[in-house]
């Protein structure tokens, strides 16, 4: 797929505005910080890492905006591991607590403690995986112990901490179980036998023998998409940035296993593309191949109507693979008007402008939706990742004065937050186990087997194809 670029405009949307707190001017500073926080038109655009950390921690009279909490906790891992950030938050809490203790203001101390617990609650709910680290869990215990010292037995602060801890442990346990399940599941295996025998037995089922309704198949693909994309978390997506950045010596390198969900979802796209190509190339009769192509065109169109752009792109990619695209006699019998419309939507020119327009329309529909069906938005994941990648590459993490370029991280956070909103939609379609089982386990031809099947269906037409076919036959004879 062609690489994409992104125009960095309207960088601070209303959803992540970072509005100045009451009483702060255009340029505000944080007491005791090593650098100022810089605001532009009421929006936080830069600051030293220390100042940003202090801006995260509440005071008696201040609590950070929720969008700032999410954005900073998400982006800070580029510069500092979560457990180190938690340790620094604990230090700042202790310093502010000691200031209140010297004033003997018990009511203010309780108010401050409640705000700290609320911050920790938002952290553990948004990024529970941060606390799978033993160091982070130890720091969490230290902080919660400090803030409960002023609370009476069975007080509100202690109860809030107990509920937060229980929810965190349940969330971590659920994620661990999901991870174990993922490791047991394998991607559909390449059909080894198909390299030696491209054509399947006549009794072997194809997709039309399992599901002949394009809408139903599109719905089942959407089921699979939503199940798989729901396992992706904000910190997984931030790995795109943190793993690439080689200049920040103190960045959060993270555990490589955190990228598993990204790789698994990307692999699903490739498997679906290869499955489409396999289903077409394995058909013996031209008439049936034509029907198969038209069926997948209809499935892709239904995916588009649903808002499932990822499956739609995978299907189009499968039909554009060389072993399928070269079947000119078959394609000549296909009514390609619908396919031309689909390709228009996925035209890569002008940075996939047509696709982005369709995605924007689906997003607006989702925001105004009254039903779950209208809320579905599944973007082309490969393009989404490339957008994050290029947004990171064309804008520096630090400004010339050494400040963190928070303007950049507002936009990255906005895009990730929007993506996460889409992943949380509950699939409204009834699950058809038989169809899903076929989609996930049907044998997939290797690239070599696809070419063999393709050449057996329609012989080579030029010198290049004849040479390729000769090489493949030689390989088959050698193996035999």
């Amino acid at each position: 797929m062609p690489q994409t670029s992104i125009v960095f405009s309207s960088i601070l949307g209303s959803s992540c505005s970072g509005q100045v707190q009451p009483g702060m001017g255009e340029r505000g500073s944080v007491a005791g910080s090593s650098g100022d926080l810089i605001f532009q038109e009421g929006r936080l655009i830069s600051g030293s890492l220390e100042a940003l950390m202090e801006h995260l921690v509440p005071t008696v009279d201040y609590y950070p905006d929720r969008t700032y909490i999410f954005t900073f906790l998400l982006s800070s891992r580029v510069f500092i591991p979560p457990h180190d950030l938690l340790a620094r938050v604990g230090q700042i809490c202790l310093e502010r607590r000691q200031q209140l203790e010297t004033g003997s203001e018990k009511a203010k101390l309780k108010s401050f403690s409640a705000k700290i617990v609320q911050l920790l609650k938002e952290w553990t709910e948004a990024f529970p995986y941060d606390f799978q680290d033993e160091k982070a869990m130890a720091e969490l215990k230290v902080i919660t112990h400090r803030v409960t010292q002023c609370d009476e037995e069975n007080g509100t602060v202690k109860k809030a901490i107990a509920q937060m801890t229980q929810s965190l442990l349940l969330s971590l346990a659920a994620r661990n179980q999901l991870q174990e399940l993922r490791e047991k599941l394998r991607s559909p295996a390449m059909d080894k036998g198909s390299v030696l025998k491209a054509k399947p037995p006549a009794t072997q089922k194809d997709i039309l023998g399992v599901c002949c309704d394009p809408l139903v198949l599109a719905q089942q693909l959407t089921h699979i998409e939503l199940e798989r994309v729901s396992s992706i978390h904000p910190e997984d997506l931030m790995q795109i940035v943190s793993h690439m950045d080689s200049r920040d010596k103190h960045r959060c390198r993270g555990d490589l296993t955190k990228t598993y969900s990204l790789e698994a979802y990307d692999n699903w796209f490739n498997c679906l593309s290869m499955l489409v190509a396999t289903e077409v190339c394995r058909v013996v009769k031209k008439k049936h191949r034509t029907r198969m192509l038209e069926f997948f065109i209809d499935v892709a169109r239904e995916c588009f109507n649903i808002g499932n752009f990822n499956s739609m792109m995978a299907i189009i990619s499968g039909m554009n693979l060389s072993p399928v695209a070269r079947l000119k006699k078959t394609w000549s019998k296909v009514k390609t008007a619908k396919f031309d419309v689909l390709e228009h939507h996925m035209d890569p020119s002008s940075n996939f402008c047509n696709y982005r327009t369709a995605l924007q329309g689906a997003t607006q529909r989702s925001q105004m939706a009254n039903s779950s069906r209208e809320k579905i938005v599944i973007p082309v994941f490969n393009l989404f990742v490339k957008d994050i990648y290029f947004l990171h590459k064309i804008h520096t993490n630090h400004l010339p004065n050494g400040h963190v370029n928070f303007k950049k991280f507002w936009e990255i956070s906005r895009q990730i937050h929007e993506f996460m909103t889409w992943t949380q939609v509950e699939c409204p379609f009834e699950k058809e186990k038989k169809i899903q089982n076929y989609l996930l386990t049907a044998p997939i031809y290797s690239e070599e087997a696809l070419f063999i099947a393709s050449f057996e269906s329609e012989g080579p037409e030029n010198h290049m194809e004849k040479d390729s076919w000769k090489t493949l036959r030689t390989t088959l004879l050698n193996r035999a």
Side-chain angles (χ1 to χ4, degrees), residues 137-299:
M137 190 60 82
E139 292 293 344
L140 180 65
K141 290 178 180 178
V142 170
I143 296 174
T144 54
H145 175 71
R146 287 172 181 167
V147 298
T148 55
Q149 287 180 352
C150 70
D151 200 31
E152 58 272 8
E153 191 68 29
N154 296 321
T156 55
V157 173
K158 287 182 178 178
K159 287 181 179 179
I161 289 174
Q163 291 174 354
M164 176 193 72
T165 304
Q166 183 179 17
S167 297
L168 174 60
L169 294 175
L170 288 172
S171 182
L172 288 175
R175 284 203 185 187
N176 287 336
Q177 289 176 358
L178 183 60
Q179 185 68 23
E180 291 174 3
L181 180 61
R182 284 195 208 125
E183 289 172 359
K184 291 179 181 179
L185 296 175
R186 295 181 180 179
S187 302
M190 295 297 179
D191 186 359
K192 304 297 182 183
S194 63
V195 175
L196 298 177
K197 185 177 181 181
K199 297 300 180 184
T203 56
Q204 187 171 330
K205 282 186 178 181
D206 59 17
I207 187 66
L208 288 172
V210 178
C211 177
C212 60
D213 187 334
L215 176 58
V216 172
L217 188 63
Q219 291 174 345
Q220 295 311 301
L221 286 170
T222 302
H223 238 300
I224 295 171
E225 293 277 356
L226 288 174
E227 283 181 3
R228 299 207 166 201
V229 80
S230 66
S231 66
I232 296 175
H233 303 284
E235 60 269 31
D236 299 328
L237 294 167
M238 206 62 191
Q239 295 291 320
I240 299 167
V241 173
S242 59
H243 279 309
M244 289 188 303
D245 198 340
S246 59
R247 291 181 299 171
D248 287 302
K249 295 181 180 179
H250 302 291
R251 74 187 189 283
C252 175
R253 300 178 190 277
D255 186 347
L256 287 173
T257 59
K258 291 183 182 179
T259 63
Y260 177 88
S261 56
L262 303 182
E263 294 166 0
Y265 189 49
D266 185 57
N267 188 54
W268 153 248
F269 179 99
N270 297 330
C271 287
L272 179 55
S273 294
M274 293 294 284
L275 177 62
V276 170
T278 299
E279 291 292 322
V280 174
C281 289
R282 69 196 283 253
V283 178
V284 177
K285 295 183 179 180
K286 181 171 63 177
K287 180 180 178 181
H288 293 162
R289 282 198 304 277
T290 301
R291 184 188 173 200
M292 187 68 75
L293 281 170
E294 291 180 339
F295 174 73
F296 277 118
I297 290 171
D298 287 338
V299 173

Side-chain angles (χ1 to χ4, degrees), residues 373-439:
R373 293 189 177 216
E374 295 174 329
K375 289 182 180 179
I376 296 172
V377 181
I378 306 173
V380 179
F381 188 63
N382 197 19
L383 289 180
F384 174 79
V385 169
K386 283 187 170 74
D387 283 350
I388 297 295
Y389 172 84
F390 282 102
L391 180 58
H392 171 63
K393 294 301 288 184
I394 64 178
H395 296 280
T396 60
N397 288 344
H398 292 97
L399 300 175
N401 64 357
H403 279 192
V404 173
N405 182 7
F406 210 66
K407 202 174 187 181
K408 163 185 172 176
F409 291 105
W410 277 127
E411 177 61 12
I412 291 177
S413 172
R414 184 192 67 78
Q415 293 194 24
I416 290 178
H417 184 271
E418 185 175 48
F419 180 85
M420 297 311 301
T421 300
W422 295 333
T423 67
Q424 293 165 11
V425 173
E426 185 176 349
C427 188
F429 309 122
E430 187 176 346
K431 189 172 184 178
E432 301 283 351
K433 291 184 178 180
K434 183 179 178 181
I435 299 173
Q436 289 199 20
N437 184 60
Y438 185 89
L439 290 169

Side-chain angles (χ1 to χ4, degrees), residues 218 296-306 312 338 342:
F296 277 118
I297 290 171
D298 287 338
V299 173
R301 187 179 62 165
E302 294 295 351
C303 285
F304 177 84
N305 293 336
I306 289 171
M312 172 191 170
K338 297 176 186 176
L342 294 174

Side-chain angles (χ1 to χ4, degrees), residues 117-131:
V117 174
Q118 178 61 28
L119 174 66
L120 295 174
K121 181 175 181 288
E122 292 195 39
W123 191 340
T124 56
E125 287 177 350
F127 305 100
Y129 200 83
D130 288 352
F131 298 87

